[in-house]
Amino acid sequence: MEQRVIISENFEKELANAIAACEHDQVFVLTDEHTQRLCWPVIACLSELKGAKVITIRATDSHKDIDALTHVWQELGARGGTRHSCMINLGGGMVTDLGGFAASTFKRGIDFINIPTTLLAMVDASVGGKTGINFNGLKNEIGVFNDSRFVIINTRFLQTLDEENICSGYAEMLKHGLIANEELWSELITFNLMQPDLKVLQRMVGASVKVKERIVSQDPRETGLRKSLNLGHTIGHAFESWSLRRSPILHGYAVAFGLICELYLSCVKTGFPTNKMRQTVGFIRENYGSLPVTCDDYEELIELMTHDKKNVGGHINFTLLSDVGNIKINQTATNEEIKEALDFFREG
C-alpha cells in the first residue's frame, strides 16, 4: 500500500480526509508525555477527533521498548480496539516507530496515520515504513516494514521544539543533502541553525522528504538503493547505543557524529573531496559539539557495529560517498580503518 505524505497547508481538512480514507470504527491517538502536553491540545478540538481515545506512553528513546509496546497493546484491547480501528501516532520518531509497530501487529494490523511533531520525525522516522522498538540494548532490533496510510507534516509543531531537537532532525536533512545533490547540500551547510527561519525550514523539509520518498519508492525493503539512507548510521547507531549505556544523546546527534566518521572513511576509501568533507564536518562540529569517546571505547563501539542489521557475512557494512550525490553502498572497512575514523572524530 502506498504511503501518502502530505506537506500540510490546511491541516484540519487534510486530517479529516485522511481519517475518512481509513477504515475506522473508532480512532485512537498515541502520544508520549511531552506531546500529550504540548501537541495534543493543538488538535484536540478538531471535530474529527471528538471521541478519540488517547493512549500515552513515557517519553524519550530509552522507553521505546517492549514494556511501552505491551502497554499500547493492552490499552487498545482494554478500550475496545478492533481490527477495524485506526491509530494516529502524534509525536516524534519514538512515537511513530513504536506506534507504527503496535498498529502493525495489533489484531494482525490496523490502519495508522503519522503526525510527526519533531523535525527528526518529519524528515525521517515517520516516512518510509520502518517501525520498531529497541531490544536487548540494541537500537531498532525488533520491528517490521509497514507503511502508514498517511503522513501529515505541518511545521506548526516545530514551535514546540527546543534547539537540541531542531538540531537532531536537521542531521537527517544534512544526510539527505549529501546523498542528493550539490545544491541541497550547499544550502544545508550554510543555513543558520542557531536562529532558524521556520518558513525557510518548511520549504527545506519538503525538499528533504522528497529525497527520502524517491529512494524508498524505488527500494521499499532496503535491498539496494535504500541503503544510501544509512550514511552516517553504522557508526552513528554505535554512538547512540554507547550513549544509552551512559548518558543518552538524541538520535540526530549520533547521526551527525557518525557522518563525521563516515565522511572521513569516504575520503580515505572512495575519494570523497577533502574540502567538502571539511566544510560539512566544520558545520557539524560548530552546531553539535562532540562526544566524550576515548580510545578505550573503540572495542565496545566496534562490537556494537557488528550488530548492525545491514551487515553481511560478518563484515561491518557502510554506505560511503565518492562525491555529493554519488553513493557507494555495501562498503566495508577494517577495524584499523574504523579506529582511524574514530581518531579523526576525537581530534575535533
Side-chain angles (χ1 to χ4, degrees), residues 5-91:
V5 180
I6 299 160
I7 307 293
S8 172
E9 298 293 333
N10 185 337
F11 182 80
E12 290 78 1
K13 185 179 173 203
E14 286 142 359
L15 179 60
N17 290 343
I19 292 173
C22 294
E23 183 177 26
H24 64 283
D25 52 7
Q26 54 188 319
V27 175
F28 290 86
V29 178
L30 181 68
T31 64
D32 67 21
E33 298 152 318
H34 297 329
T35 56
Q36 206 272 338
R37 182 169 51 87
L38 295 168
C39 303
W40 172 238
V42 177
I43 64 171
C45 57
L46 300 182
S47 58
E48 294 74 30
L49 295 174
K50 203 173 177 199
K53 297 176 178 178
V54 179
I55 300 171
T56 302
I57 54 178
R58 293 168 75 187
T60 76
D61 206 71
S62 56
H63 296 114
K64 192 171 88 173
D65 58 17
I66 192 78
D67 294 334
L69 178 68
T70 302
H71 173 70
V72 176
W73 283 332
Q74 285 169 335
E75 286 288 293
L76 285 168
R79 296 168 76 179
T82 73
R83 64 186 304 182
H84 305 292
S85 298
C86 171
M87 189 153 83
I88 294 171
N89 298 316
L90 178 72

Coordinates of all heavy atoms in Angstrom, one line a residue, residues 5-91:
V5 N 2.4 11.0 1.7 CA 3.0 12.0 2.5 C 2.5 13.4 2.1 O 2.6 13.8 1.0 CB 4.5 12.0 2.4 CG1 5.2 13.1 3.3 CG2 5.1 10.6 2.7
I6 N 1.9 14.1 3.1 CA 1.2 15.4 2.8 C 2.0 16.5 3.5 O 2.1 16.5 4.7 CB -0.2 15.4 3.3 CG1 -1.0 14.3 2.6 CG2 -0.9 16.8 3.1 CD1 -2.3 13.9 3.3
I7 N 2.6 17.4 2.7 CA 3.2 18.6 3.3 C 2.1 19.6 3.5 O 1.5 20.2 2.6 CB 4.3 19.2 2.4 CG1 5.4 18.2 2.0 CG2 5.0 20.4 3.1 CD1 6.2 17.7 3.1
S8 N 1.7 19.8 4.8 CA 0.3 20.3 5.1 C 0.2 21.8 4.9 O 1.0 22.5 5.5 CB 0.0 19.9 6.5 OG -1.2 20.5 6.9
E9 N -0.8 22.2 4.2 CA -1.2 23.6 4.1 C -2.5 23.9 4.9 O -2.7 24.9 5.4 CB -1.4 24.0 2.6 CG -0.1 23.9 1.8 CD 1.0 24.9 2.2 OE1 0.7 25.9 2.7 OE2 2.2 24.5 1.9
N10 N -3.4 22.9 4.9 CA -4.7 23.0 5.5 C -4.8 21.8 6.4 O -5.5 20.8 6.0 CB -5.8 23.1 4.5 CG -7.1 23.4 5.2 OD1 -7.4 23.0 6.3 ND2 -8.1 23.9 4.4
F11 N -4.3 21.8 7.6 CA -4.1 20.7 8.5 C -5.5 20.0 8.8 O -5.6 18.8 8.7 CB -3.4 21.1 9.8 CG -3.2 19.9 10.7 CD1 -2.1 19.0 10.5 CD2 -4.1 19.7 11.8 CE1 -1.9 17.9 11.3 CE2 -3.8 18.6 12.6 CZ -2.8 17.7 12.4
E12 N -6.5 20.8 9.2 CA -7.8 20.3 9.6 C -8.4 19.5 8.5 O -8.9 18.3 8.6 CB -8.7 21.4 10.0 CG -8.3 22.1 11.3 CD -7.2 23.1 11.2 OE1 -6.7 23.3 10.1 OE2 -6.8 23.6 12.2
K13 N -8.4 20.0 7.3 CA -9.0 19.4 6.1 C -8.3 18.1 5.7 O -8.8 17.1 5.5 CB -9.0 20.3 4.9 CG -9.7 19.8 3.7 CD -9.7 20.8 2.6 CE -10.3 20.2 1.3 NZ -9.9 20.9 0.1
E14 N -6.9 18.2 5.8 CA -6.1 17.0 5.4 C -6.3 15.9 6.4 O -6.3 14.7 6.0 CB -4.6 17.4 5.2 CG -4.4 18.2 4.0 CD -3.4 19.4 4.1 OE1 -2.9 19.6 5.3 OE2 -3.2 20.1 3.1
L15 N -6.4 16.2 7.7 CA -6.6 15.2 8.7 C -7.9 14.6 8.5 O -8.1 13.3 8.6 CB -6.4 15.8 10.1 CG -6.6 14.8 11.2 CD1 -5.6 13.6 11.2 CD2 -6.6 15.5 12.6
A16 N -9.0 15.4 8.3 CA -10.3 14.9 8.1 C -10.4 13.9 6.9 O -10.9 12.8 7.0 CB -11.3 16.0 7.8
N17 N -9.7 14.3 5.8 CA -9.7 13.4 4.6 C -8.9 12.1 4.9 O -9.3 11.0 4.4 CB -9.0 14.1 3.4 CG -9.9 15.2 2.9 OD1 -11.1 15.3 3.2 ND2 -9.3 16.1 2.1
A18 N -7.8 12.2 5.7 CA -7.0 11.0 6.0 C -7.8 10.0 6.8 O -7.9 8.8 6.6 CB -5.7 11.4 6.7
I19 N -8.5 10.5 7.9 CA -9.3 9.7 8.7 C -10.4 9.0 7.9 O -10.7 7.8 8.1 CB -9.8 10.5 10.0 CG1 -8.6 10.9 10.9 CG2 -10.8 9.6 10.7 CD1 -9.0 11.8 12.0
A20 N -11.1 9.8 7.1 CA -12.2 9.3 6.3 C -11.7 8.2 5.4 O -12.5 7.2 5.1 CB -12.8 10.4 5.5
A21 N -10.5 8.3 4.9 CA -9.9 7.3 3.9 C -9.6 6.0 4.6 O -9.4 4.9 4.0 CB -8.7 7.8 3.2
C22 N -9.4 6.0 6.0 CA -9.1 4.8 6.7 C -10.3 4.2 7.3 O -11.2 4.9 7.8 CB -8.1 5.2 7.9 SG -6.5 5.8 7.4
E23 N -10.3 2.8 7.3 CA -11.4 2.1 7.9 C -11.3 2.4 9.4 O -10.3 2.3 10.0 CB -11.2 0.6 7.7 CG -12.3 -0.2 8.2 CD -12.2 -1.7 7.9 OE1 -11.0 -2.1 7.7 OE2 -13.2 -2.4 7.9
H24 N -12.4 2.8 10.0 CA -12.3 3.1 11.5 C -13.7 3.0 12.2 O -14.6 3.7 11.8 CB -11.7 4.5 11.7 CG -12.5 5.6 11.3 ND1 -12.5 6.0 9.9 CD2 -13.3 6.5 11.9 CE1 -13.3 7.1 9.8 NE2 -13.8 7.4 11.0
D25 N -13.8 2.1 13.1 CA -14.9 2.1 14.0 C -14.7 3.1 15.1 O -15.6 3.6 15.7 CB -15.3 0.7 14.5 CG -14.1 0.0 15.1 OD1 -13.0 0.6 15.3 OD2 -14.3 -1.2 15.4
Q26 N -13.4 3.2 15.5 CA -13.0 4.3 16.4 C -11.6 4.7 16.2 O -10.8 3.9 15.5 CB -13.2 3.8 17.9 CG -12.6 2.5 18.3 CD -13.1 2.1 19.7 OE1 -13.2 2.9 20.5 NE2 -13.4 0.8 19.8
V27 N -11.2 5.8 16.7 CA -9.9 6.4 16.5 C -9.1 6.5 17.8 O -9.7 7.0 18.8 CB -10.0 7.8 15.9 CG1 -8.6 8.5 15.8 CG2 -10.7 7.8 14.5
F28 N -7.9 6.0 17.8 CA -7.0 6.1 19.0 C -5.9 7.1 18.6 O -5.5 7.1 17.4 CB -6.4 4.7 19.3 CG -7.4 3.7 19.9 CD1 -8.1 2.9 19.0 CD2 -7.5 3.6 21.2 CE1 -9.0 2.0 19.6 CE2 -8.4 2.7 21.8 CZ -9.2 1.9 20.9
V29 N -5.4 7.8 19.6 CA -4.3 8.7 19.4 C -3.2 8.3 20.3 O -3.4 8.3 21.6 CB -4.7 10.2 19.6 CG1 -3.5 11.1 19.4 CG2 -5.9 10.6 18.7
L30 N -2.0 8.0 19.8 CA -0.9 7.7 20.7 C 0.0 8.9 20.8 O 0.4 9.5 19.8 CB -0.1 6.5 20.1 CG 1.2 6.1 20.9 CD1 0.7 5.4 22.2 CD2 2.1 5.2 20.1
T31 N 0.3 9.3 22.1 CA 1.2 10.4 22.4 C 2.2 9.9 23.4 O 2.0 8.9 24.0 CB 0.4 11.6 23.0 OG1 -0.1 11.1 24.3 CG2 -0.7 12.1 22.1
D32 N 3.3 10.7 23.6 CA 4.1 10.5 24.8 C 3.8 11.6 25.7 O 3.0 12.5 25.4 CB 5.6 10.3 24.4 CG 6.2 11.6 23.9 OD1 5.7 12.7 24.1 OD2 7.3 11.5 23.2
E33 N 4.4 11.6 26.9 CA 4.1 12.6 27.9 C 4.3 14.0 27.4 O 3.5 14.9 27.7 CB 5.0 12.4 29.2 CG 4.9 11.1 29.9 CD 6.2 10.7 30.6 OE1 7.3 10.9 30.0 OE2 6.1 10.2 31.7
H34 N 5.3 14.2 26.6 CA 5.6 15.6 26.1 C 4.5 16.0 25.0 O 4.0 17.1 25.1 CB 7.0 15.7 25.4 CG 8.1 15.4 26.4 ND1 8.0 15.8 27.7 CD2 9.3 14.9 26.2 CE1 9.2 15.4 28.3 NE2 10.0 14.9 27.4
T35 N 4.3 15.1 24.1 CA 3.3 15.5 23.0 C 1.9 15.5 23.5 O 1.1 16.3 23.0 CB 3.4 14.6 21.8 OG1 3.2 13.2 22.1 CG2 4.8 14.7 21.1
Q36 N 1.6 14.8 24.6 CA 0.3 14.9 25.2 C 0.1 16.3 25.8 O -1.0 16.8 25.7 CB 0.2 13.8 26.3 CG -1.2 13.3 26.6 CD -1.9 14.2 27.6 OE1 -1.3 14.8 28.4 NE2 -3.2 14.1 27.6
R37 N 1.1 16.8 26.3 CA 1.0 18.2 27.0 C 1.1 19.3 26.0 O 0.4 20.3 26.0 CB 2.2 18.3 28.0 CG 2.2 19.6 28.8 CD 3.2 19.4 30.0 NE 4.5 19.0 29.5 CZ 5.5 19.8 29.1 NH1 5.3 21.1 29.0 NH2 6.7 19.3 28.7
L38 N 2.1 19.1 25.0 CA 2.4 20.3 24.1 C 1.6 20.2 22.7 O 1.3 21.3 22.2 CB 3.9 20.3 23.8 CG 4.8 20.6 25.0 CD1 6.3 20.3 24.6 CD2 4.7 22.0 25.4
C39 N 1.4 19.0 22.2 CA 0.8 18.9 20.9 C -0.6 18.5 20.8 O -1.4 19.0 19.9 CB 1.7 18.0 20.0 SG 3.4 18.5 20.0
W40 N -1.0 17.6 21.7 CA -2.4 17.2 21.6 C -3.4 18.3 21.8 O -4.4 18.4 21.0 CB -2.7 16.1 22.7 CG -4.1 15.7 22.9 CD1 -4.8 15.7 24.0 CD2 -5.0 15.1 21.9 NE1 -6.1 15.3 23.8 CE2 -6.2 14.9 22.5 CE3 -4.9 14.8 20.5 CZ2 -7.4 14.4 21.9 CZ3 -6.0 14.3 19.9 CH2 -7.2 14.1 20.5
P41 N -3.2 19.3 22.7 CA -4.1 20.4 22.8 C -4.3 21.2 21.5 O -5.3 21.9 21.3 CB -3.5 21.3 23.9 CG -2.6 20.4 24.7 CD -2.1 19.4 23.7
V42 N -3.2 21.2 20.6 CA -3.3 21.9 19.4 C -4.4 21.3 18.4 O -5.0 22.1 17.6 CB -1.9 21.9 18.7 CG1 -1.9 22.6 17.3 CG2 -0.8 22.5 19.5
I43 N -4.6 20.0 18.5 CA -5.6 19.4 17.6 C -6.8 18.8 18.3 O -7.7 18.3 17.6 CB -4.8 18.4 16.7 CG1 -4.3 17.2 17.5 CG2 -3.7 19.0 15.9 CD1 -3.7 16.0 16.7
A44 N -6.8 18.7 19.6 CA -7.8 18.0 20.3 C -9.2 18.6 20.1 O -10.2 17.8 20.1 CB -7.6 18.1 21.9
C45 N -9.3 19.8 19.7 CA -10.6 20.5 19.5 C -11.2 20.2 18.1 O -12.3 20.5 17.8 CB -10.5 22.0 19.6 SG -9.2 22.7 18.5
L46 N -10.4 19.5 17.2 CA -10.9 19.2 15.9 C -12.1 18.3 15.9 O -12.1 17.2 16.7 CB -9.8 18.7 15.0 CG -8.6 19.6 14.8 CD1 -7.6 18.9 13.8 CD2 -9.0 20.9 14.2
S47 N -13.1 18.5 15.1 CA -14.3 17.7 15.2 C -14.0 16.2 14.9 O -14.7 15.3 15.4 CB -15.4 18.3 14.3 OG -15.0 18.3 13.0
E48 N -13.1 16.0 14.0 CA -12.7 14.6 13.5 C -12.1 13.8 14.7 O -12.1 12.6 14.6 CB -11.7 14.7 12.4 CG -12.1 15.3 11.1 CD -12.2 16.8 11.2 OE1 -11.5 17.4 12.0 OE2 -13.1 17.3 10.5
L49 N -11.7 14.5 15.7 CA -11.0 13.8 16.9 C -11.9 13.8 18.1 O -11.5 13.4 19.2 CB -9.7 14.5 17.2 CG -8.6 14.3 16.1 CD1 -7.4 15.1 16.4 CD2 -8.3 12.9 15.8
K50 N -13.2 14.2 17.9 CA -14.1 14.1 19.0 C -14.4 12.7 19.4 O -14.6 11.8 18.5 CB -15.4 14.8 18.6 CG -16.3 15.3 19.8 CD -17.5 16.1 19.3 CE -18.3 16.4 20.6 NZ -19.6 16.8 20.3
G51 N -14.2 12.3 20.6 CA -14.4 10.9 21.0 C -13.1 10.0 20.8 O -13.2 8.8 21.1
A52 N -12.0 10.6 20.2 CA -10.8 9.8 20.1 C -10.3 9.4 21.4 O -10.4 10.2 22.4 CB -9.8 10.6 19.3
K53 N -9.7 8.2 21.5 CA -9.2 7.7 22.8 C -7.7 7.9 22.8 O -7.0 7.3 21.9 CB -9.6 6.2 23.0 CG -11.1 6.0 23.0 CD -11.5 4.6 23.1 CE -13.0 4.5 23.2 NZ -13.5 3.1 23.3
V54 N -7.2 8.6 23.8 CA -5.7 8.9 23.8 C -5.0 7.9 24.7 O -5.4 7.6 25.8 CB -5.5 10.3 24.4 CG1 -4.0 10.7 24.5 CG2 -6.2 11.4 23.5
I55 N -3.9 7.4 24.1 CA -3.0 6.4 24.9 C -1.7 7.2 25.0 O -1.2 7.7 24.0 CB -2.8 5.1 24.1 CG1 -4.1 4.4 23.9 CG2 -1.8 4.2 24.8 CD1 -4.0 3.2 22.9
T56 N -1.2 7.2 26.2 CA 0.1 8.0 26.5 C 1.1 7.1 27.0 O 0.9 6.3 27.9 CB -0.2 9.2 27.5 OG1 -1.2 10.0 26.9 CG2 1.1 10.0 27.7
I57 N 2.3 7.2 26.4 CA 3.5 6.4 26.9 C 4.6 7.4 27.4 O 4.5 8.6 27.2 CB 4.1 5.5 25.8 CG1 4.4 6.3 24.5 CG2 3.1 4.4 25.5 CD1 5.0 5.5 23.4
R58 N 5.6 6.8 28.1 CA 6.6 7.7 28.6 C 7.5 8.2 27.4 O 7.6 7.5 26.4 CB 7.5 6.9 29.6 CG 6.7 6.6 30.9 CD 7.4 5.6 31.8 NE 8.5 6.2 32.5 CZ 9.4 5.6 33.2 NH1 9.3 4.2 33.3 NH2 10.4 6.2 33.8
A59 N 8.1 9.4 27.6 CA 8.8 10.0 26.6 C 10.3 9.5 26.5 O 10.8 8.8 27.5 CB 8.8 11.5 26.7
T60 N 11.0 9.8 25.4 CA 12.4 9.6 25.1 C 12.6 8.1 24.6 O 11.9 7.2 25.0 CB 13.4 9.8 26.3 OG1 13.3 8.8 27.2 CG2 13.1 11.2 26.9
D61 N 13.7 8.0 23.8 CA 14.0 6.8 23.1 C 14.3 5.7 24.1 O 14.2 4.5 23.8 CB 15.2 7.0 22.2 CG 15.2 6.0 21.1 OD1 14.4 6.1 20.2 OD2 16.1 5.1 21.1
S62 N 14.7 6.0 25.3 CA 15.1 4.9 26.3 C 13.8 4.2 26.7 O 13.9 3.1 27.3 CB 15.7 5.5 27.5 OG 14.9 6.5 28.1
H63 N 12.6 4.7 26.4 CA 11.4 4.0 26.6 C 10.7 3.4 25.4 O 9.6 3.0 25.4 CB 10.4 4.9 27.3 CG 10.8 5.4 28.7 ND1 11.1 6.7 29.0 CD2 11.1 4.7 29.8 CE1 11.6 6.8 30.2 NE2 11.6 5.6 30.8
K64 N 11.5 3.4 24.3 CA 11.0 2.7 23.1 C 11.2 1.2 23.2 O 12.1 0.7 22.5 CB 11.7 3.3 21.8 CG 11.0 2.9 20.5 CD 11.5 3.7 19.3 CE 12.7 3.0 18.7 NZ 13.1 3.7 17.5
D65 N 10.5 0.6 24.1 CA 10.9 -0.8 24.5 C 9.6 -1.7 24.6 O 8.5 -1.2 24.3 CB 11.7 -0.8 25.8 CG 10.9 -0.2 27.0 OD1 9.6 0.0 26.8 OD2 11.5 0.2 28.0
I66 N 9.9 -2.9 24.9 CA 8.8 -3.9 24.9 C 7.7 -3.6 26.0 O 6.6 -3.9 25.8 CB 9.4 -5.3 25.2 CG1 8.4 -6.4 24.9 CG2 10.0 -5.5 26.6 CD1 8.1 -6.8 23.5
D67 N 8.1 -2.9 27.1 CA 7.2 -2.5 28.1 C 6.2 -1.5 27.6 O 4.9 -1.6 27.8 CB 7.9 -2.0 29.4 CG 8.7 -3.0 30.1 OD1 8.4 -4.2 29.9 OD2 9.7 -2.7 30.7
A68 N 6.7 -0.5 26.9 CA 5.8 0.5 26.3 C 4.9 -0.1 25.2 O 3.7 0.2 25.1 CB 6.6 1.7 25.7
L69 N 5.5 -1.0 24.4 CA 4.7 -1.6 23.4 C 3.6 -2.5 24.0 O 2.4 -2.4 23.5 CB 5.6 -2.5 22.5 CG 5.0 -3.3 21.4 CD1 4.5 -2.4 20.3 CD2 6.0 -4.3 20.9
T70 N 3.9 -3.2 25.0 CA 2.9 -4.0 25.7 C 1.8 -3.1 26.3 O 0.6 -3.5 26.2 CB 3.5 -4.8 26.8 OG1 4.6 -5.6 26.3 CG2 2.5 -5.7 27.5
H71 N 2.1 -2.0 26.8 CA 1.2 -1.0 27.4 C 0.2 -0.6 26.3 O -1.0 -0.5 26.5 CB 1.9 0.2 28.0 CG 0.9 1.3 28.4 ND1 0.1 1.1 29.5 CD2 0.7 2.5 27.9 CE1 -0.6 2.3 29.6 NE2 -0.3 3.1 28.6
V72 N 0.7 -0.3 25.1 CA -0.1 0.2 24.0 C -1.1 -1.0 23.5 O -2.3 -0.7 23.4 CB 0.7 0.7 22.8 CG1 -0.2 1.0 21.6 CG2 1.6 1.9 23.2
W73 N -0.6 -2.2 23.4 CA -1.4 -3.3 23.0 C -2.5 -3.5 24.1 O -3.7 -3.7 23.7 CB -0.6 -4.6 23.0 CG 0.2 -4.8 21.7 CD1 0.0 -4.3 20.5 CD2 1.4 -5.5 21.6 NE1 1.0 -4.7 19.6 CE2 1.9 -5.5 20.3 CE3 2.2 -6.3 22.6 CZ2 3.0 -6.1 19.8 CZ3 3.3 -6.9 22.1 CH2 3.7 -6.8 20.8
Q74 N -2.1 -3.4 25.4 CA -3.1 -3.6 26.4 C -4.2 -2.5 26.4 O -5.4 -2.8 26.6 CB -2.4 -3.6 27.8 CG -1.7 -4.9 28.1 CD -0.8 -4.8 29.3 OE1 -0.3 -3.7 29.7 NE2 -0.5 -6.0 29.9
E75 N -3.8 -1.3 26.2 CA -4.8 -0.2 26.1 C -5.7 -0.3 24.9 O -6.9 -0.1 25.1 CB -4.0 1.2 26.0 CG -3.4 1.6 27.3 CD -4.4 2.0 28.3 OE1 -5.1 3.1 28.1 OE2 -4.6 1.3 29.4
L76 N -5.2 -0.7 23.8 CA -6.0 -0.9 22.6 C -7.1 -2.0 22.9 O -8.2 -1.8 22.6 CB -5.2 -1.3 21.4 CG -4.3 -0.2 20.7 CD1 -3.3 -0.8 19.7 CD2 -5.2 0.8 20.0
G77 N -6.6 -3.1 23.5 CA -7.5 -4.2 23.8 C -8.6 -3.8 24.9 O -9.8 -4.0 24.7
A78 N -8.1 -3.2 25.9 CA -9.0 -2.9 27.1 C -10.0 -1.8 26.7 O -11.1 -1.7 27.3 CB -8.2 -2.4 28.3
R79 N -9.7 -0.9 25.7 CA -10.6 0.2 25.4 C -11.4 -0.1 24.1 O -11.8 0.9 23.4 CB -9.8 1.5 25.3 CG -9.2 1.8 26.7 CD -8.1 2.9 26.7 NE -8.8 4.2 26.6 CZ -8.1 5.3 26.6 NH1 -6.8 5.3 26.7 NH2 -8.7 6.5 26.4
G80 N -11.5 -1.3 23.8 CA -12.4 -1.7 22.7 C -11.8 -1.6 21.3 O -12.6 -1.6 20.3
G81 N -10.5 -1.6 21.1 CA -9.9 -1.6 19.8 C -10.2 -2.9 19.0 O -10.3 -4.0 19.6
T82 N -10.5 -2.8 17.8 CA -10.8 -3.9 16.9 C -9.9 -3.9 15.7 O -9.2 -2.9 15.5 CB -12.3 -4.0 16.4 OG1 -12.4 -2.9 15.4 CG2 -13.2 -3.7 17.6
R83 N -10.0 -4.9 14.8 CA -9.2 -4.8 13.6 C -9.6 -3.7 12.6 O -9.0 -3.5 11.6 CB -9.2 -6.2 12.9 CG -10.6 -6.6 12.4 CD -10.5 -8.0 11.9 NE -9.6 -8.2 10.9 CZ -9.4 -9.3 10.2 NH1 -10.1 -10.4 10.5 NH2 -8.4 -9.4 9.3
H84 N -10.8 -3.1 13.0 CA -11.3 -2.0 12.1 C -11.0 -0.6 12.7 O -11.5 0.4 12.2 CB -12.8 -2.2 11.9 CG -13.1 -3.5 11.3 ND1 -12.8 -3.9 10.1 CD2 -13.8 -4.6 11.9 CE1 -13.2 -5.1 9.9 NE2 -13.8 -5.6 11.0
S85 N -10.2 -0.6 13.8 CA -9.9 0.7 14.4 C -8.7 1.4 13.7 O -8.0 0.7 12.8 CB -9.5 0.5 15.9 OG -10.6 -0.1 16.6
C86 N -8.5 2.6 14.0 CA -7.4 3.4 13.3 C -6.6 4.1 14.4 O -7.2 4.5 15.4 CB -8.0 4.4 12.4 SG -6.8 5.6 11.7
M87 N -5.3 4.2 14.3 CA -4.5 4.8 15.3 C -3.7 6.0 14.7 O -3.1 5.8 13.6 CB -3.5 3.9 16.0 CG -2.8 4.5 17.2 SD -2.3 3.3 18.4 CE -0.8 2.7 17.7
I88 N -3.7 7.1 15.3 CA -2.9 8.3 14.9 C -1.7 8.4 15.9 O -1.9 8.4 17.1 CB -3.8 9.6 15.0 CG1 -4.9 9.5 14.0 CG2 -2.9 10.8 14.8 CD1 -5.9 10.7 14.2
N89 N -0.5 8.4 15.3 CA 0.7 8.5 16.1 C 1.1 10.0 16.1 O 1.6 10.5 15.1 CB 1.8 7.6 15.5 CG 1.5 6.2 15.5 OD1 0.9 5.7 16.5 ND2 1.7 5.4 14.5
L90 N 0.9 10.6 17.2 CA 1.2 12.1 17.3 C 2.5 12.2 18.1 O 2.4 12.1 19.4 CB 0.0 12.8 18.0 CG 0.2 14.3 18.2 CD1 0.1 15.1 16.9 CD2 -0.9 14.8 19.2
G91 N 3.6 12.5 17.5 CA 4.8 12.6 18.2 C 6.1 12.5 17.4 O 6.0 12.6 16.2

